[in-house]
Amino acid sequence: MSAHIYKKIEIVGSSESSIEDAVNNAVTKAAESVRNIRWVEVVETRCHVENQKIAYWQVAVKIGFTLDEN
Amino acid sequence: MSAHIYKKIEIVGSSESSIEDAVNNAVTKAAESVRNIRWVEVVETRCHVENQKIAYWQVAVKIGFTLDEN
Amino acid sequence: MSAHIYKKIEIVGSSESSIEDAVNNAVTKAAESVRNIRWVEVVETRCHVENQKIAYWQVAVKIGFTLDEN
Amino acid sequence: MSAHIYKKIEIVGSSESSIEDAVNNAVTKAAESVRNIRWVEVVETRCHVENQKIAYWQVAVKIGFTLDEN
Amino acid sequence: MSAHIYKKIEIVGSSESSIEDAVNNAVTKAAESVRNIRWVEVVETRCHVENQKIAYWQVAVKIGFTLDEN
Amino acid sequence: MSAHIYKKIEIVGSSESSIEDAVNNAVTKAAESVRNIRWVEVVETRCHVENQKIAYWQVAVKIGFTLDEN
Amino acid sequence: MSAHIYKKIEIVGSSESSIEDAVNNAVTKAAESVRNIRWVEVVETRCHVENQKIAYWQVAVKIGFTLDEN
Amino acid sequence: MSAHIYKKIEIVGSSESSIEDAVNNAVTKAAESVRNIRWVEVVETRCHVENQKIAYWQVAVKIGFTLDEN
Amino acid sequence: MSAHIYKKIEIVGSSESSIEDAVNNAVTKAAESVRNIRWVEVVETRCHVENQKIAYWQVAVKIGFTLDEN
Amino acid sequence: MSAHIYKKIEIVGSSESSIEDAVNNAVTKAAESVRNIRWVEVVETRCHVENQKIAYWQVAVKIGFTLDEN
Amino acid sequence: MSAHIYKKIEIVGSSESSIEDAVNNAVTKAAESVRNIRWVEVVETRCHVENQKIAYWQVAVKIGFTLDEN
Amino acid sequence: MSAHIYKKIEIVGSSESSIEDAVNNAVTKAAESVRNIRWVEVVETRCHVENQKIAYWQVAVKIGFTLDEN
């Protein structure tokens, strides 16, 4: 029950619009290959700049998911 | 005047919509019990995930307020 | 070609509306005096509070730009 | 429901026997004055030494509890 | 011989009894899918609390294992 | 006896004259509401500047005090 | 186009000759199992010592690669 | 008004007498080339030692000043 | 009396059974060569793994002892 | 004499060959615009990867130089 | 000549009066047993509190000295 | 056998040629006074600059060696 085992993977999501959307894109991509995602930790926020404007947000996150459910 | 004494407390605000809204909720809650809030420091950003989607944002903040006004 | 030299400067942008807008304001201001901005690293997020509400977001960023283009 | 507001307080628990027992003592003490404790983060582990032996363990923890339940 | 290549993965182990047992559970689970585990680095220790008591320990570890043995 | 439980609170003291005086002011203020202060940890030192001169020192400290004495 | 999703994995490369060679060995090994490597972040540098001399360099790196290209 | 843009520069001030005086010297020097200094963050304190005595204090500070006032 | 001078040394203790025992072994070893040990700070916890099981705990500690007693 | 004032700037140097060469390129570039460079602090080491090989090293450094010599 | 080898030791100095005096006491004590001290790095500042007042300052420093002069 | 006790000392090695050589010089010097060196952790890399060129590399390392062999 309560005593799960989790794995964390580190993903960098991108978005042209916002930090939240970049994190959302990271979670959506991760959800293609891992099941049972439980939480996200934001670890680094950067922007790529083109023509002196922010082109997209790049947010590195750790994604935690349960390992022990079959 | 200028030489105030401040206290910092650590609150975790949540929101289904955005990081800013989670911080806002933390400040609104803190304002119920402390007066003279002066600043907020964002110290940790996490998300709770349900059904492979971000369910809500959890943002830990330190809230600084003046102690010396009567 | 690929082996550029970059400089980083540290700017604090402000905005009444969002973290993203504060970063955007920092980049816009920096773009007045440096050319060839390439990336932004978010290093600190704070809020100024007035009347128990968030008055504006203050986001410290490091802005990297190319030094070697003439 | 899901979008709670939490507060964190920092307590240093002590024990002559183990790190776990020191954390347990911190939680027990905190439970006397706050309700709805949800989690503990261990932030620092030290020992006090007397007569060249470990006299007791001192473990600093952050204790998170729900603010919004009435 | 000596100059191996290693990979590190991050696992969160849980236990109702102790920090050591939580780490042990993380290693046991990791050993189901990776061979040649060499070391563990403890990176974060937390507790889940229920009914004002520690329900289980959650310990995040980095687990290093050899990649180059066939 | 030796196995006390402590709480830490975070205070920012100010002074026009020195870092030590700012810490002293933080302790004096804290002593109005908590008893049995045992130690101080200096965590951040800043200055407020007016008219191109240091107007006052702002020193954030964690103050540890005993919880278990009645 | 620009808004990729990346994954980071953590590898420890070794070399008897230099830090650069250890990083190179880590990248070469990673390239056997992941495609589209984009960058490397050096996170820790250690040496293994035998007979009072440096036997080999061990460099922990995070390796970022694109997830979204098919 | 409230939503300023600031720049931070890093200066190391020295003094034979005290930490405060070293910070003061850093601010005085910075004030020769930048206007509208608002705050100082102390980031590192070191001493240079000669003849087994402290010869002078070296304090690295970040100095924040307003960019947007004309 | 109160204003002692201390030295800190960094020791890594090992144990097959627990973190506490590894720290204890570090203190016991240090006590062979230094007198007047006052405190221990735990700075890093690792495990050595053999045959896919934890073989022993390795805990790096800083040990503080009084220098000024004769 | 001894009590100088220094400024630090942050530069990212690149090189196809080594970390040392990347730092050297950063110093050479900085020397075009600042005089009296005294020291360098390496703060971050990264690599850009192309075609699954390290294309060049990118090393972020802080460069300290004397401000007070005329 | 210039390419010395140094050792760093960690000392905690105390003083009833100031941070500077505590560092000075640490250097004076270290100078009894090591020669050729070159620099000091302040790593931690704490106070011991008695009767709700600062009884003395405790400053942890790293002291660097030349190893290679005979 | 496996459960050794280690001590770590902190040395700064210098070299005019490379980071690796500076670390090597630190190990060679340490080997004059301690036996059974097992590993090195690189903790800080700096350069001394003269005449606008890197004069030598200064690399701070922690050196771990076995205490328990007689």
Coordinates of all heavy atoms in Angstrom, one line a residue, chain I residues 1-9 39 41 62 67-70, chain K residues 9-16 25-26 29 44 56 58 60 62:
Chain I
M1 N 36.9 30.0 29.1 CA 35.6 29.5 29.4 C 34.7 29.3 28.2 O 34.9 28.3 27.4 CB 34.8 30.3 30.4 CG 35.5 31.5 31.0 SD 34.4 32.9 30.9 CE 33.9 33.0 29.2
S2 N 33.9 30.3 27.9 CA 32.9 30.0 26.8 C 33.5 30.1 25.4 O 33.1 29.5 24.5 CB 31.7 30.9 27.0 OG 32.1 32.3 26.9
A3 N 34.5 31.0 25.3 CA 34.9 31.3 23.9 C 36.1 30.4 23.4 O 37.2 30.8 23.3 CB 35.4 32.8 23.9
H4 N 35.7 29.2 23.2 CA 36.7 28.2 22.8 C 37.1 28.4 21.3 O 36.4 29.0 20.5 CB 36.1 26.8 22.9 CG 35.9 26.4 24.4 ND1 36.9 26.5 25.3 CD2 34.8 26.0 25.0 CE1 36.4 26.1 26.5 NE2 35.1 25.8 26.3
I5 N 38.2 27.7 21.0 CA 38.6 27.6 19.6 C 38.4 26.1 19.2 O 38.9 25.2 20.0 CB 40.0 28.0 19.3 CG1 40.3 29.4 19.8 CG2 40.4 27.9 17.8 CD1 39.6 30.5 19.1
Y6 N 37.8 25.8 18.1 CA 37.6 24.4 17.7 C 38.3 24.1 16.4 O 38.5 25.0 15.6 CB 36.1 24.1 17.6 CG 35.3 24.4 18.7 CD1 34.7 25.7 18.8 CD2 35.1 23.5 19.8 CE1 33.9 26.1 20.0 CE2 34.3 23.9 20.9 CZ 33.8 25.2 21.0 OH 33.0 25.5 22.1
K7 N 38.6 22.8 16.1 CA 39.0 22.4 14.8 C 38.0 21.3 14.3 O 37.5 20.6 15.1 CB 40.4 21.8 14.9 CG 41.0 21.5 13.5 CD 42.4 21.0 13.6 CE 43.0 20.7 12.2 NZ 44.4 20.2 12.2
K8 N 37.8 21.3 13.0 CA 36.9 20.3 12.4 C 37.8 19.4 11.5 O 38.6 19.9 10.7 CB 35.8 20.9 11.6 CG 34.8 21.7 12.3 CD 33.6 22.0 11.3 CE 32.8 23.2 11.7 NZ 31.7 23.4 10.7
I9 N 37.7 18.1 11.6 CA 38.3 17.2 10.7 C 37.2 16.4 10.0 O 36.1 16.2 10.6 CB 39.3 16.3 11.4 CG1 38.7 15.5 12.5 CG2 40.5 17.1 11.8 CD1 39.6 14.5 13.1
W39 N 31.2 17.8 18.8 CA 30.1 17.5 18.0 C 30.5 16.9 16.7 O 31.6 16.8 16.3 CB 29.3 18.8 17.7 CG 29.9 19.7 16.6 CD1 29.6 19.7 15.3 CD2 30.9 20.7 16.8 NE1 30.3 20.6 14.6 CE2 31.1 21.3 15.5 CE3 31.7 21.2 17.9 CZ2 32.1 22.3 15.3 CZ3 32.6 22.2 17.7 CH2 32.8 22.7 16.4
E41 N 29.0 16.6 12.5 CA 28.0 17.0 11.4 C 28.1 16.0 10.3 O 29.1 15.7 9.8 CB 28.5 18.4 10.8 CG 28.6 19.5 11.8 CD 29.4 20.7 11.2 OE1 29.4 20.9 10.0 OE2 30.0 21.4 12.0
K62 N 31.9 15.6 9.7 CA 32.9 16.6 10.2 C 32.8 16.4 11.7 O 31.7 16.5 12.3 CB 32.6 18.0 9.7 CG 32.8 18.2 8.3 CD 32.9 19.7 7.9 CE 33.2 19.8 6.4 NZ 33.2 21.2 6.0
L67 N 40.3 23.0 20.7 CA 41.8 23.1 20.5 C 42.4 23.7 21.7 O 43.6 23.6 21.9 CB 42.1 24.0 19.3 CG 42.2 23.4 17.9 CD1 42.6 24.5 16.9 CD2 43.2 22.3 17.9
D68 N 41.7 24.5 22.5 CA 42.4 25.4 23.5 C 42.5 24.8 24.9 O 42.8 25.6 25.8 CB 41.7 26.7 23.5 CG 40.2 26.5 23.6 OD1 39.7 25.4 23.6 OD2 39.5 27.5 23.7
E69 N 42.2 23.5 25.1 CA 42.4 23.0 26.5 C 43.7 22.3 26.6 O 44.1 21.5 25.8 CB 41.2 22.1 26.8 CG 39.9 22.9 26.9 CD 38.7 22.1 27.1 OE1 38.9 20.9 27.6 OE2 37.6 22.6 26.9
N70 N 44.4 22.7 27.7 CA 45.8 22.1 27.9 C 45.8 21.2 29.1 O 44.8 21.0 29.8 CB 46.8 23.3 28.1 CG 46.8 24.1 26.8 OD1 47.1 23.6 25.8 ND2 46.5 25.4 27.0
Chain K
I9 N 42.8 24.0 6.5 CA 42.2 23.4 7.7 C 41.0 24.2 8.1 O 40.9 25.4 7.8 CB 43.2 23.3 8.8 CG1 43.8 24.6 9.1 CG2 44.3 22.2 8.5 CD1 44.7 24.6 10.4
E10 N 40.1 23.5 8.8 CA 38.8 24.2 9.2 C 38.8 24.4 10.7 O 38.9 23.5 11.5 CB 37.6 23.4 8.8 CG 36.3 24.2 8.9 CD 35.1 23.6 8.2 OE1 35.3 22.5 7.5 OE2 34.0 24.1 8.3
I11 N 38.8 25.7 11.1 CA 38.8 26.1 12.5 C 37.6 26.9 12.8 O 37.0 27.6 12.0 CB 40.1 27.0 12.7 CG1 41.3 26.3 12.3 CG2 40.1 27.5 14.2 CD1 41.8 25.2 13.2
V12 N 37.1 26.8 14.0 CA 35.9 27.6 14.5 C 36.5 28.5 15.6 O 36.9 28.1 16.7 CB 34.8 26.8 15.1 CG1 33.6 27.7 15.5 CG2 34.3 25.8 14.0
G13 N 36.5 29.8 15.3 CA 37.0 30.8 16.3 C 35.8 31.4 17.0 O 34.7 31.5 16.5
S14 N 36.0 31.9 18.3 CA 34.9 32.5 19.1 C 35.4 33.8 19.6 O 36.6 34.1 19.7 CB 34.6 31.6 20.3 OG 34.2 30.3 19.9
S15 N 34.4 34.7 19.8 CA 34.7 36.0 20.4 C 33.4 36.5 21.0 O 32.3 36.3 20.5 CB 35.2 36.9 19.3 OG 35.1 38.3 19.8
E16 N 33.5 37.2 22.1 CA 32.4 37.9 22.7 C 32.0 39.2 22.0 O 30.9 39.7 22.2 CB 32.6 38.1 24.2 CG 32.8 36.9 25.0 CD 33.1 37.2 26.5 OE1 32.9 38.4 26.9 OE2 33.4 36.2 27.2
N25 N 40.8 35.3 16.2 CA 41.2 34.3 17.2 C 41.5 32.9 16.6 O 42.4 32.2 17.0 CB 40.1 34.2 18.3 CG 40.0 35.4 19.2 OD1 41.0 36.2 19.2 ND2 38.9 35.5 19.9
A26 N 40.7 32.6 15.5 CA 41.0 31.4 14.8 C 42.3 31.4 14.2 O 43.1 30.4 14.2 CB 39.9 31.1 13.8
K29 N 45.2 31.1 16.8 CA 45.3 29.8 17.3 C 46.0 28.9 16.2 O 46.9 28.1 16.5 CB 43.9 29.2 17.6 CG 44.0 27.9 18.3 CD 44.5 28.0 19.7 CE 44.8 26.6 20.4 NZ 45.4 26.8 21.8
E44 N 30.9 29.8 7.9 CA 29.7 29.7 8.7 C 29.8 30.7 9.8 O 30.8 30.7 10.5 CB 29.5 28.3 9.2 CG 28.1 28.0 9.7 CD 28.0 26.6 10.2 OE1 29.0 26.1 10.8 OE2 26.9 26.0 10.1
Y56 N 28.6 34.8 22.6 CA 29.8 34.9 21.8 C 29.5 34.5 20.4 O 28.5 33.8 20.1 CB 31.0 34.2 22.4 CG 30.7 32.8 22.8 CD1 30.9 31.7 22.0 CD2 30.3 32.5 24.1 CE1 30.7 30.4 22.4 CE2 30.0 31.2 24.5 CZ 30.2 30.2 23.7 OH 30.0 28.9 24.1
Q58 N 30.6 32.6 16.9 CA 31.3 31.4 16.5 C 31.4 31.4 15.0 O 30.4 31.3 14.3 CB 30.6 30.1 17.0 CG 30.6 29.9 18.5 CD 29.8 28.8 18.9 OE1 28.6 28.6 18.5 NE2 30.3 27.9 19.7
A60 N 33.1 29.7 11.7 CA 33.9 28.6 11.1 C 34.6 29.2 9.9 O 34.0 29.8 9.0 CB 33.0 27.5 10.7
K62 N 37.9 28.4 6.9 CA 38.9 27.5 6.3 C 40.2 28.4 6.2 O 40.2 29.5 5.7 CB 38.5 27.0 4.9 CG 37.4 26.0 5.0 CD 37.2 25.2 3.7 CE 36.2 24.2 3.9 NZ 36.0 23.4 2.6

